[in-house]
Amino acid sequence: MAIETDVLVVGGGATGAGVARDLALRGVDVTLVERNGLTSGTSGRSHGLLHSGARYAEADRVGAEECIAENRILKEIAGACIRDTGGLFVQLAADDPDYFEAKRAACAEVGIPVETLDADAARERVPDLAPDVERAFEVPDAVIYPSRLVAANAADARDHGATIHPHAPVEDVLVENGHVVGVQVGGTADDSIEADYVVNATGAWAGEFAAMAGLNVEMQPTRGVMVSVEYDALGPVLNRCRDPDDGDIVVPHENEAVLGTTSVPVRDPDEYETEQWEIEESIEECAAMLPPVADAPEVRTWWGVRPLYAPDEAERGRGISRGFFLLDHADDGVDNMASIVGGKLTTYRQMAEATADRVCDNLGVDAACRTADQTLPGVDDPKQLDALVAEFDGQGPTDQDVVGST
């Protein structure tokens, strides 16, 4: 007998786990499948920055507004999944002062709190800042530990009736008369799943899964490198105050600093080349802000793949929107499937809410979203969170120096 469920969510990163949690809290019967352990895709291979929205303020006001709203929500509901560090946008001597002014003004317009610091005040916050720092402004950036965040979302979904299947890859999708009638899943599930609605939350792999249903989702993923080095003297996140470029973010952990990142288009999110220059450039550029990281011992290096959605092939790399898109495939001839693509780790909950709203409209479920107000389980106890990470095999490289070490 096939597994029957109201909604099948494919993809066990932050967005998929967030969709499962949102729907389960609304009383919908949900099954989530992930081909590997949870957080094994983009979510667990990020730089782990909880954006304040400042990075996007002057170029993408809507995206910045989304970020600051979700930043505030996650700081309330996510406990030890978040480390509230604050962040600095740093202007070096080579950087355009007009860009600094424009970004600072845009933050104020969006409602992102900003405090301007002269060079001496910035160096009080970060004593090892480069000697050519001109000034900085402080914003409410923070650090996300994605392994914990995803595990907590999955646990809350399960606690409200959802079924979570790590290591359950989709093998086939059966579509009849414009309707997904079955999804064959291997691994730990090893069965056919019949769902009233299917959510494609596979991130950078959304095109591959959609193709199994005869659909076209035009993803244009890019890879980015993260280099974690031994360095325990950084308080806030550091952002280079210039147009987004390689090596302009430094994210503090307890005894390490994560340096990143690059943006290189890839054809296949599973099979792609990695280049030594990406590591070297990220270290060199980040060291321009924080010189000690140039010679700090490297602890680990990893690449992640951004789930960028770009139906306009003229857009490439950093020019592609970091906003999210909800694609209702009824418009493409499959009436019970949607794909949620693009976006950022910071906005995963909002992405999940938009998706759950669409699913509930389709299924005739009249229930409001509760995820912004309900605290995630276990977030006051890091050891409990880390036990959940282990249960769902959810450890990613982003936070492996923190998770399980408490």
Side-chain angles (χ1 to χ4, degrees), residues 376-394:
L376 286 160
V379 295
D380 59 348
D381 184 351
K383 289 185 178 179
Q384 184 178 345
L385 285 173
D386 294 351
L388 292 172
V389 172
E391 177 185 348
F392 293 118
D393 191 21

Side-chain angles (χ1 to χ4, degrees), residues 343-368:
K344 297 171 284 292
L345 182 57
T346 298
T347 58
Y348 88 92
R349 193 213 59 83
Q350 188 180 64
M351 296 167 67
E353 179 178 350
T355 306
D357 285 346
R358 182 67 57 89
V359 172
C360 287
D361 285 346
N362 188 280
L363 298 181
V365 174
D366 183 13

Side-chain angles (χ1 to χ4, degrees), residues 247-297:
D248 58 5
I249 298 175
V250 184
V251 180
H253 283 197
E254 292 170 4
N255 298 302
E256 299 177 15
V258 177
L259 318 178
T261 179
T262 48
S263 181
V264 181
V266 300
R267 292 179 179 271
D268 184 334
D270 283 317
E271 300 290 338
Y272 54 88
E273 294 181 352
T274 58
E275 300 284 351
Q276 181 64 26
W277 71 260
E278 296 177 75
I279 298 172
E280 294 170 356
E281 184 161 314
S282 291
I283 294 172
E284 180 181 354
E285 291 294 325
C286 288
M289 290 189 289
L290 192 67
V293 303
D295 301 315

Side-chain angles (χ1 to χ4, degrees), residues 6 21 27 45 54 56 94 141 152 161 260 281 345:
D6 293 341
R21 178 195 185 217
R45 305 186 66 83
Y56 309 105
D141 285 343
E281 184 161 314
L345 182 57

Side-chain angles (χ1 to χ4, degrees), residues 167-193:
H167 298 287
V170 170
E171 297 175 343
D172 195 18
V173 179
L174 181 61
V175 178
E176 293 181 357
N177 299 319
H179 196 84
V180 178
V181 296
V183 178
Q184 185 65 42
V185 179
T188 57
D190 194 25
D191 208 339
S192 178
I193 299 176

Side-chain angles (χ1 to χ4, degrees), residues 45-49 83 143-146 224-232 234 236-239 247-261 282-283 286-287 289-290 293 296-297 299-302 397-402:
R45 305 186 66 83
S46 65
H47 48 47
L49 174 59
R83 184 178 175 208
V143 179
I144 301 176
Y145 299 137
V225 72
M226 271 63 65
V227 185
S228 194
V229 300
E230 291 181 11
Y231 184 76
D232 62 3
L234 180 60
V237 175
L238 296 183
N239 304 266
D248 58 5
I249 298 175
V250 184
V251 180
H253 283 197
E254 292 170 4
N255 298 302
E256 299 177 15
V258 177
L259 318 178
T261 179
S282 291
I283 294 172
C286 288
M289 290 189 289
L290 192 67
V293 303
V299 182
R300 63 190 185 282
T301 298
W302 67 95
T398 298
D399 52 18
Q400 71 179 48
D401 61 312
V402 176

